[in-house]
Amino acid sequence: MSGIAALLLELGHEVTGSDKVSTLETDRLQRRGLCFHEQHRAAAASNADLIIFSSAIKVDNPILVSARDSGKPVVRRAEALAAIMRGKRGILIVGMHGKTTTSAMTAHVLREGGLHPSHYVGAEIPILGTNAHWDPRGEYFVAEGDESDGTLICFHPEHSLILNIEEEHLDFYADLAAIEKVFARLIEQTSRTVFYNIDDANAARLCAERKGAISFGFSEKADYHAAHIDLRDFASVFCVYRRGEQLGEAVLNVPGQHNVQNAVGVIALATELGISFDKIAASLCKFEHARRRFEIKYESDRFLLVDDYAHHPTEIRATLKTATSIGRKRVLTMFQPHRYSRTKALRNEFGRAFDDADHVVVTDIYPASEAPIPGISGETISNEIAMRGHRGVSYQPRFEWVHRDVGNMLDPGDLVMSLGAGNIHEQVALLAADLVIAEKLKAIVGEQGDVRLYEPLSKHTTLRVGGPAQFWVEPRNESAFAELIRFCRCESLPLFVVGRGSNLLVKDGGIRGVVVHPCGGDFDKIEVNGNEITAGVGAKLKEVAYAGKTAGLGGLEWMEGIPGAVGGGLRMNAGAMGAQTFENVVGVRYLDPDGNLHVKKRDDLEVHYRNFPLLENNFAVSAVFRGEPAPTEEIVRNLKASQQKRRTSQPAAKSAGCIFKNPDSCPAGKLVDELGLKNSCVGKARVSEVHGNFIVNDGGATAADMLELIEKIKSVARAKRGIELETEVQIVGEPA
Ligand code: EPU
C-alpha cells in the first residue's frame, strides 16, 4: 500500500492513509505529503474521491463500510496499480517465487540503460531508493504482480515476464488449474511479448504456444540461456547465449542458481528493449539485493548469519541449496511458517524442504491476517520434518526464544539462516547483535578459553534448574578474567560469576549479561606449601580437603562435605560439621571492579555467617588455606565422619544444599521438619524427606516451582512459629 501511496503522491494527488500502527514507512510518506491516521475511521472516506484497500483489510472495516454506504468508488490495491500502470508502457513481473528480486533487477537494469522506468516492487530496495517511484521522463513502468488474490487479471501490460507457476495460496485458489487460469488470462491480456522461464514446466506449457513468446532459462532450447555457471559465495558468473550466439559473460552479485535463472529473464527483456549486453552486464554487476533476500546479518571467519524471506517449500529448498553451496561446516535454520492455510496445504512439501539444513528450529505460525486453523501450528511442520527422518529438528513455540535455541548450538564454521515472511528476521538480528559481543569475549579469553551463547544454567547448577546465561564465558587465567571485568564495565554489561552452581537458584528466564565461570587453567590449580594450600576459585573444596590429607594437613576435612568450588565457598563462607571456610582461610586474591588485582590477609577481611561481603562487588581468583599437621589416620577418620554425616542426614537427589540459613532459635531443617512440611511439593520441587532444609528436584522442576515452595515454607514458619526464614541459597536471574 505504501508503494501505491507514494506513486499517487508523485502524480500530484492528495492522499490520506490509515493503518493500525505508524512505521518508518508511514513517517517517510508523511514527509512526502501523506495525511496519515493511526486508526481506521469512517470519516476518512467522506472527503475521498476513491478508496483503495489492501486484501488484508476486512469487509467490515469502517472506512470501507462508510465508502460503500455513500456510494464512493472502492478498488483493490492491484486494481489501482493496474490503473496507474496504464499511464505508461507496462512491464509486469509475475511468478510464485523471486518476483521482488527480479522486478527490482529489471527496474535497475532499465534505469542504468537510460530508460528512466517508473517502478513498483513489493519490498524496500536499497539500490532503487524506494519501493515505488514515478519517473515522468521514461515510458516504461516495471511492476511486481501479486498472484495471491487473482487480481493479475486486472493488468494489461505491454510485456509480461513469467518466472514460475506452482501450487500456492491455496486459501484463495481451489487448485493449480485455477491458478493457471489467472496466468492464462494475463498472457492473453499482454499486448506484446511474454517472456517465460522454459525450465518451469507449468510456465512453459502455458506460454509455449503464445505467438512471439520469448523463453529464457538454463535449457539450451531457450531463446536466451545461461551456461558455464560458476556459483560463488555471494555471487554467480555465467555466460549468456541468444539462440546459440554468445552475448557475453555476466556477474551477478546475488547468490543462488535460481537468481541466475531470473537474471537471464531480465537480460532477455532488456535486450529486446534495445539495451546493449555490455550495459546490461555492467548494471547486473552493480545490482544489490532486496532486503530479506539472502541478506547477510553477520559475517566473520567463524560465523555467517543470513536472513531470507523464503516461506514456500520451493523457495526454502532453493535458499538452503544456496546456503550449503557456500561451504560453511553446518547450516542451522530458524523457520517461522507463514499463514495457517499454507502450512496446512503444503505440510508434506515443508517436510521435505529442509533436507539441506543440519538443524531446523521451527517456531509458531505467523498468521498474517488469518484466523488460526485448529490443529495447525509450527509443530505440524516440525513433525513432518521429523517424520521424514531428519534428526536435527526441534519446535520452539516461544518466538522470543528461537534465537537462544539456535545460538546455543553454534559452533565455529556454522551458517545460520532465518527463513520466513513474518518477523523471524528479528530473531536472527538479536542473535547477530549478541554474536558481535560473544566474538569480542572470545578474543579476550583466547584459544584456551570458551564462550557460549545462551548456555542453559540448568546444566551448571546442582539443582538442575535455571534459564540461559546470555553470554557464558570460561576464562582460564587471571589476566583474561581481569580483562573481562574491564570489558563488561566499559560496555555496561552485567557480570555474574558462577562456580559449581551448588548454592544457586537461577530463575527460569536466565541471567542477562556475562556469566563468568572461572575453571580450568590457573583456576583449578591446588598447590601445597608447608602448612598452606593455595587453591584457585575453580577447584572443588573437596579437593582441598584431599590435598590436605595427602600432605598430612588436618582441619580441612569438613570441606569434603561441600559440593561447591573454592570461589563459592569464599563468597558464602560455606560451612559444615560446625566449621566454616574462613576458619581455614589465611589470604584471598581478588580482582576489583576495575580488574585490578589485590591480595588480602585474613585479619583485614570482614566475614559473617554465610556471607563474605567483599565478594559482592569483587571477584576472587584464589585463596590460601591453612591446615595443621595431623596423623593421616585422624584425617581419614574425620573425612569418613563427614561422609557418613552427609550420607545419613542429607539427600542424594539433585539439590542446592541447604535452602535457608539456620535461624538463631532452631536449625532450619529441624524447623521445617517440625512444621510437618517434609515431602510437600510444588510441581517437581519437593522438600526432602531426609532433611527438611533441602529442596530436591524430582526431575524437570522449574525455578518457579522452587520459589513457590520456598515462599510456602517461609509463610508457614512465619505464621506458626513467628520465625522469618532467610534463604542461604543465592537466588538470581529473571523470571521466564
Ligand atoms: N534436623 C531435623 N530434621 C531434619 C534436618 C535436621 O530434626 O530434617 C535436626 C538435626 O537432627 C540436627 C539439627 O537439625 O539436630 C541440625 O541439622 P544438621 O546437623 O543436618 O545441620 P544443618 O544445620 O541443617 C549444616 C549446614 C550444612 C552442612 C551440615 C553438616 C547450614 C545452613 N547448613 O546443616 O551445609 O552440610 O551442617 O555439617 O549451616 C549447606 O550449607 O548448603 C549445607 C548443606
Side-chain angles (χ1 to χ4, degrees), residues 575-577 610 645 650 658 662 669-670 673 678 691-692 728:
M577 308 292 284
R610 298 291 180 266
K645 161 94 181 170
Q650 296 180 1
C658 285
N662 280 338
K670 190 162 185 271
D673 196 355
K678 277 188 167 174
H691 193 300
E728 173 186 306

Side-chain angles (χ1 to χ4, degrees), residues 12 125 142 158 179 192 238 255 345 369 399 424 427 510 545 596 664 677 715:
I125 309 292
V142 179
E158 189 169 306
I179 297 172
R192 291 183 68 175
F238 53 97
S369 49
F399 177 74
I424 191 71
Q427 287 295 302
N596 300 318
D664 291 339
L677 292 172
S715 69

Side-chain angles (χ1 to χ4, degrees), residues 96 316 428 433 581 596 601 611:
M96 269 59 190
I316 292 167
V428 85
T581 307
N596 300 318
K601 295 243 177 297
N611 187 16

Side-chain angles (χ1 to χ4, degrees), residues 621-671:
V621 289
S622 67
V624 184
F625 299 86
R626 189 192 291 273
E628 293 303 329
T632 307
E633 313 79 71
E634 185 187 314
I635 299 173
V636 170
R637 207 178 323 116
N638 290 342
L639 285 170
K640 281 212 172 116
S642 168
Q643 276 170 4
Q644 179 68 9
K645 161 94 181 170
R646 194 159 38 83
R647 287 191 189 137
T648 52
S649 67
Q650 296 180 1
K654 294 169 206 138
S655 79
C658 285
I659 290 288
F660 301 106
K661 293 180 182 175
N662 280 338
D664 291 339
S665 51
C666 169
K670 190 162 185 271
L671 173 67

Side-chain angles (χ1 to χ4, degrees), residues 685-708:
R686 184 171 54 82
V687 177
S688 162
E689 59 194 342
V690 183
H691 193 300
N693 202 6
F694 283 69
I695 295 182
V696 296
N697 180 352
D698 280 336
T702 63
D705 295 339
M706 294 284 165
L707 291 167
E708 199 181 323

Side-chain angles (χ1 to χ4, degrees), residues 39-54:
Q39 247 180 346
H40 299 294
R41 285 206 205 92
S46 54
N47 291 327
D49 298 311
L50 172 72
I51 288 93
I52 306 170
F53 69 101
S54 136

Side-chain angles (χ1 to χ4, degrees), residues 40 118 131 134 150 160 188 376 391 433 452 637 642 650:
H40 299 294
S118 298
N131 58 351
W134 181 265
S160 300
E188 228 177 84
I376 299 296
R391 273 174 295 161
R452 264 170 277 160
R637 207 178 323 116
S642 168
Q650 296 180 1

